[in-house]
Coordinates of all heavy atoms in Angstrom, one line a residue:
Q12 N -20.6 -28.1 -6.7 CA -21.3 -28.8 -7.8 C -20.2 -29.5 -8.7 O -20.5 -30.6 -9.2 CB -21.9 -27.7 -8.7 CG -23.2 -27.1 -8.0 CD -24.3 -28.2 -7.9 OE1 -24.7 -28.8 -8.9 NE2 -24.9 -28.3 -6.8
I13 N -19.0 -28.9 -8.8 CA -18.0 -29.5 -9.5 C -17.6 -30.9 -8.9 O -17.3 -31.9 -9.6 CB -16.7 -28.6 -9.6 CG1 -17.0 -27.5 -10.6 CG2 -15.5 -29.3 -10.0 CD1 -15.9 -26.4 -10.5
N14 N -17.5 -30.9 -7.6 CA -17.1 -32.1 -6.9 C -18.2 -33.2 -6.8 O -17.9 -34.3 -6.3 CB -16.6 -31.8 -5.5 CG -15.3 -31.0 -5.5 OD1 -14.4 -31.4 -6.3 ND2 -15.1 -30.1 -4.6
T15 N -19.4 -32.8 -7.2 CA -20.5 -33.8 -7.1 C -21.2 -34.1 -8.4 O -21.6 -35.2 -8.6 CB -21.6 -33.3 -6.1 OG1 -22.1 -32.0 -6.6 CG2 -21.1 -33.2 -4.7
A16 N -21.1 -33.2 -9.4 CA -21.9 -33.3 -10.6 C -21.0 -33.6 -11.8 O -21.6 -33.9 -12.9 CB -22.8 -32.1 -10.9
L17 N -19.7 -33.5 -11.7 CA -18.8 -33.7 -12.8 C -17.9 -34.9 -12.6 O -17.6 -35.3 -11.4 CB -18.0 -32.4 -13.0 CG -18.8 -31.2 -13.5 CD1 -18.0 -30.0 -13.5 CD2 -19.4 -31.5 -15.0
P18 N -17.4 -35.5 -13.6 CA -16.5 -36.6 -13.5 C -15.3 -36.3 -12.6 O -14.8 -35.2 -12.6 CB -16.1 -36.9 -14.9 CG -17.2 -36.3 -15.8 CD -17.6 -35.1 -15.1
R19 N -14.8 -37.4 -12.0 CA -13.6 -37.2 -11.1 C -12.5 -36.6 -11.8 O -11.7 -35.9 -11.2 CB -13.4 -38.6 -10.4 CG -12.4 -38.5 -9.3 CD -12.1 -39.9 -8.7 NE -13.4 -40.4 -8.2 CZ -13.9 -40.2 -7.0 NH1 -13.2 -39.4 -6.1 NH2 -15.0 -40.8 -6.6
G20 N -12.3 -37.0 -13.0 CA -11.1 -36.5 -13.7 C -11.1 -35.0 -14.0 O -10.1 -34.4 -14.3
D21 N -12.3 -34.4 -14.0 CA -12.4 -33.0 -14.3 C -12.2 -32.1 -13.0 O -12.0 -30.9 -13.2 CB -13.8 -32.7 -14.8 CG -14.1 -33.4 -16.2 OD1 -13.1 -33.9 -16.7 OD2 -15.2 -33.3 -16.7
R22 N -12.3 -32.7 -11.9 CA -12.5 -31.9 -10.7 C -11.3 -31.1 -10.3 O -11.3 -29.9 -9.9 CB -12.8 -32.8 -9.5 CG -14.2 -33.5 -9.7 CD -14.5 -34.5 -8.6 NE -15.8 -35.2 -8.9 CZ -16.3 -36.2 -8.2 NH1 -15.6 -36.6 -7.1 NH2 -17.4 -36.7 -8.5
Q23 N -10.1 -31.7 -10.4 CA -8.9 -30.9 -9.9 C -8.7 -29.7 -10.8 O -8.5 -28.6 -10.3 CB -7.6 -31.8 -10.0 CG -6.4 -31.1 -9.5 CD -5.2 -32.1 -9.5 OE1 -5.3 -33.2 -9.9 NE2 -4.0 -31.5 -9.1
A24 N -8.7 -29.8 -12.1 CA -8.5 -28.7 -13.0 C -9.6 -27.6 -12.8 O -9.3 -26.4 -12.8 CB -8.4 -29.1 -14.4
L25 N -10.8 -28.1 -12.7 CA -11.9 -27.1 -12.6 C -11.9 -26.4 -11.2 O -12.2 -25.2 -11.1 CB -13.2 -27.8 -12.7 CG -13.6 -28.3 -14.2 CD1 -14.9 -29.1 -14.2 CD2 -13.7 -27.1 -15.1
T26 N -11.5 -27.1 -10.2 CA -11.3 -26.5 -8.9 C -10.3 -25.4 -8.9 O -10.4 -24.2 -8.4 CB -11.0 -27.5 -7.8 OG1 -12.1 -28.4 -7.7 CG2 -10.9 -26.8 -6.4
L27 N -9.1 -25.7 -9.5 CA -8.1 -24.6 -9.7 C -8.5 -23.5 -10.5 O -8.2 -22.3 -10.2 CB -6.8 -25.3 -10.3 CG -6.1 -26.3 -9.4 CD1 -4.9 -26.9 -10.2 CD2 -5.5 -25.6 -8.2
A28 N -9.3 -23.8 -11.5 CA -9.9 -22.8 -12.4 C -10.8 -21.8 -11.6 O -10.8 -20.6 -11.8 CB -10.6 -23.4 -13.6
V29 N -11.7 -22.4 -10.8 CA -12.6 -21.6 -10.0 C -11.8 -20.6 -9.1 O -12.1 -19.5 -9.0 CB -13.5 -22.5 -9.1 CG1 -14.3 -21.7 -8.1 CG2 -14.5 -23.2 -10.0
L30 N -10.7 -21.1 -8.5 CA -9.9 -20.3 -7.6 C -9.4 -19.1 -8.4 O -9.4 -17.9 -7.9 CB -8.8 -21.1 -6.9 CG -9.3 -22.2 -5.9 CD1 -8.1 -23.0 -5.4 CD2 -10.0 -21.5 -4.8
Q31 N -8.9 -19.4 -9.5 CA -8.3 -18.3 -10.3 C -9.3 -17.3 -10.9 O -9.2 -16.1 -10.8 CB -7.4 -18.9 -11.5 CG -6.7 -17.7 -12.2 CD -5.5 -18.3 -13.0 OE1 -5.1 -19.5 -12.8 NE2 -4.8 -17.5 -13.8
Y32 N -10.5 -17.9 -11.3 CA -11.6 -17.0 -11.8 C -12.1 -16.2 -10.7 O -12.5 -15.0 -10.9 CB -12.6 -17.9 -12.4 CG -13.7 -17.1 -13.1 CD1 -13.5 -16.4 -14.2 CD2 -15.0 -17.1 -12.5 CE1 -14.6 -15.7 -14.8 CE2 -16.0 -16.4 -13.0 CZ -15.8 -15.6 -14.2 OH -16.8 -14.9 -14.8
S33 N -12.2 -16.7 -9.5 CA -12.8 -15.9 -8.4 C -12.0 -14.7 -8.1 O -12.5 -13.7 -7.6 CB -12.9 -16.8 -7.1 OG -11.7 -17.2 -6.7
R34 N -10.7 -14.8 -8.3 CA -9.8 -13.6 -8.1 C -10.2 -12.5 -9.1 O -10.3 -11.3 -8.8 CB -8.4 -14.0 -8.3 CG -7.4 -12.8 -8.1 CD -6.0 -13.2 -8.4 NE -5.8 -13.4 -9.8 CZ -4.6 -13.7 -10.4 NH1 -3.6 -13.9 -9.6 NH2 -4.6 -13.9 -11.7
E35 N -10.5 -12.9 -10.4 CA -11.0 -11.9 -11.4 C -12.3 -11.3 -11.0 O -12.5 -10.1 -11.1 CB -11.1 -12.6 -12.7 CG -9.9 -13.3 -13.3 CD -8.8 -12.2 -13.5 OE1 -9.1 -11.2 -14.0 OE2 -7.6 -12.5 -13.2
I36 N -13.2 -12.1 -10.4 CA -14.5 -11.6 -9.9 C -14.3 -10.6 -8.8 O -15.0 -9.6 -8.7 CB -15.4 -12.8 -9.5 CG1 -15.7 -13.7 -10.6 CG2 -16.7 -12.2 -9.0 CD1 -16.3 -13.1 -11.8
A37 N -13.4 -10.9 -7.9 CA -13.1 -10.0 -6.8 C -12.6 -8.7 -7.3 O -13.0 -7.6 -6.8 CB -12.1 -10.6 -5.8
F38 N -11.7 -8.7 -8.3 CA -11.3 -7.4 -8.9 C -12.4 -6.7 -9.6 O -12.5 -5.4 -9.5 CB -10.2 -7.7 -9.9 CG -8.8 -8.0 -9.3 CD1 -8.1 -9.1 -9.7 CD2 -8.3 -7.2 -8.3 CE1 -6.9 -9.4 -9.1 CE2 -7.1 -7.5 -7.7 CZ -6.4 -8.6 -8.1
D39 N -13.3 -7.5 -10.2 CA -14.5 -6.8 -10.8 C -15.3 -6.1 -9.8 O -15.7 -4.9 -10.0 CB -15.4 -7.9 -11.5 CG -14.8 -8.4 -12.8 OD1 -13.8 -7.8 -13.3 OD2 -15.3 -9.4 -13.4
A40 N -15.6 -6.8 -8.7 CA -16.4 -6.1 -7.6 C -15.7 -4.9 -7.0 O -16.3 -3.8 -6.8 CB -16.6 -7.1 -6.4
A41 N -14.4 -5.0 -6.9 CA -13.6 -3.9 -6.3 C -13.7 -2.7 -7.3 O -13.8 -1.5 -6.9 CB -12.2 -4.2 -6.1
E42 N -13.6 -2.9 -8.6 CA -13.7 -1.9 -9.6 C -15.0 -1.2 -9.6 O -15.1 0.0 -9.6 CB -13.4 -2.5 -10.9 CG -13.4 -1.4 -12.1 CD -13.2 -2.1 -13.4 OE1 -13.1 -3.3 -13.5 OE2 -13.2 -1.3 -14.4
V43 N -16.1 -2.0 -9.5 CA -17.4 -1.4 -9.5 C -17.6 -0.5 -8.3 O -18.1 0.6 -8.4 CB -18.5 -2.5 -9.6 CG1 -19.9 -2.0 -9.3 CG2 -18.5 -3.2 -10.9
Y44 N -17.3 -1.0 -7.1 CA -17.5 -0.2 -5.9 C -16.6 1.0 -5.8 O -17.0 2.0 -5.2 CB -17.4 -1.1 -4.6 CG -18.7 -1.9 -4.4 CD1 -18.9 -3.1 -5.0 CD2 -19.6 -1.3 -3.6 CE1 -20.1 -3.8 -4.8 CE2 -20.8 -2.0 -3.3 CZ -21.1 -3.2 -3.9 OH -22.3 -3.9 -3.7
A45 N -15.3 0.8 -6.3 CA -14.4 2.0 -6.4 C -15.0 3.1 -7.3 O -15.0 4.3 -6.9 CB -13.0 1.6 -6.9
R46 N -15.6 2.7 -8.4 CA -16.2 3.7 -9.3 C -17.4 4.4 -8.7 O -17.6 5.6 -8.7 CB -16.5 3.1 -10.6 CG -15.3 2.8 -11.5 CD -15.8 2.1 -12.8 NE -14.7 1.8 -13.6 CZ -14.8 1.1 -14.8 NH1 -16.0 0.7 -15.2 NH2 -13.7 0.9 -15.5
A47 N -18.2 3.5 -8.0 CA -19.4 4.1 -7.3 C -19.0 5.0 -6.2 O -19.7 6.1 -6.0 CB -20.3 2.9 -6.8
A48 N -18.0 4.7 -5.4 CA -17.5 5.5 -4.4 C -17.0 6.8 -4.9 O -17.2 7.9 -4.3 CB -16.4 4.8 -3.5
E49 N -16.2 6.7 -6.0 CA -15.7 8.0 -6.6 C -16.8 8.9 -7.1 O -16.8 10.1 -7.0 CB -14.8 7.6 -7.8 CG -14.1 8.8 -8.4 CD -13.2 8.4 -9.6 OE1 -13.1 7.1 -9.8 OE2 -12.6 9.3 -10.2
T50 N -17.8 8.3 -7.7 CA -19.0 9.1 -8.2 C -19.7 9.7 -7.0 O -20.1 10.9 -7.0 CB -20.0 8.1 -9.0 OG1 -19.3 7.6 -10.1 CG2 -21.2 9.0 -9.4
R51 N -20.0 8.9 -5.9 CA -20.7 9.4 -4.7 C -19.8 10.5 -4.1 O -20.4 11.5 -3.6 CB -20.9 8.3 -3.8 CG -22.1 7.4 -4.1 CD -22.6 6.6 -2.9 NE -21.5 5.8 -2.4 CZ -21.3 4.5 -2.8 NH1 -22.0 4.0 -3.8 NH2 -20.3 3.8 -2.3

């Protein structure tokens, strides 16, 4: 969507931002499943 719906000048910075943010999301998922596994 960034590469098709947003201006060309925004794309590089937003693509790099998505990559960094996705790392945070991965850590969020790992934390949730680790807590669930600990509880189980």
